Amino acid sequence: MAGVVDRLLAQLPGLQEAAAPPRAMPRFPSVGAPATVATPVRGSGISSGAAWVAVWGRVVLGLSLGIMMASWPYSRACGLPLLGYLSALVIVVLSGLWAASSSWKHRVGLAHVIALTVVLYGIALGAAELLPRTGYAVDHASWQCGESTSETIRLPVVS
């Protein structure tokens, strides 16, 4: 079975120039037996310079979206404008996650930290809008326009 697997692995592209397959290890190796180390196979055809530019492009996109959310020009008090704002925040978080996964894959540390900061910033902006509407904040806000936010009980007046 091992011979069939070795033959099939040798047919994969990129493995033809690899060294001969390691010899079979005994089923119960002795203490002094050398360990076999697998070498990683690079699957992406992107050069390191192009990958670096792509990673930083994604990070700059997420960062610019996050910065623009600080100066949101429309109302976000209730109704459809609130839904639009929250949708834009989801896009900020998703772009930060996209940049974070790309920077993790290509091992660009600073870009990864910035991308995770964008994700955290988007979550914080979303929490600032969601928490007053779910009852976890001191200030209360409503989802729909025209709803009363005060919760006072009016008792009938007895004369």
Side-chain angles (χ1 to χ4, degrees):
M1 185 64 132
V4 173
V5 171
D6 289 338
R7 189 186 73 221
L8 290 174
L9 285 175
Q11 292 175 357
L12 290 175
L15 293 179
Q16 283 79 17
E17 66 271 356
R23 59 186 176 88
M25 295 284 293
R27 184 166 181 169
F28 299 106
S30 63
V31 175
T36 305
V37 178
T39 58
V41 177
R42 295 207 175 248
S44 68
I46 302 174
S47 67
S48 63
W52 189 84
V53 170
V55 166
W56 280 105
R58 291 175 183 141
V59 170
V60 167
L61 173 70
L63 189 61
S64 63
L65 287 173
I67 290 171
M68 286 188 281
M69 290 305 291
S71 61
W72 182 259
Y74 308 109
S75 170
R76 58 179 184 258
C78 57
L80 287 177
L82 175 64
L83 181 64
Y85 180 74
L86 293 176
S87 300
L89 286 178
V90 167
I91 298 298
V92 169
V93 171
L94 288 177
S95 67
L97 289 173
W98 183 39
S101 69
S102 176
S103 62
W104 181 266
K105 178 182 175 184
H106 295 289
R107 306 292 190 257
V108 184
L110 180 61
H112 190 70
V113 169
I114 293 171
L116 289 179
T117 304
V118 168
V119 171
L120 184 64
Y121 179 67
I123 291 172
L125 287 177
E129 292 298 323
L130 292 175
L131 291 180
R133 288 167 176 78
T134 56
Y136 284 105
V138 175
D139 297 330
H140 294 287
S142 65
W143 291 99
Q144 296 293 325
C145 297
E147 286 184 6
S148 166
T149 58
S150 65
E151 297 187 16
T152 59
I153 300 173
R154 302 203 181 259
L155 298 173
V157 177
V158 179
S159 357

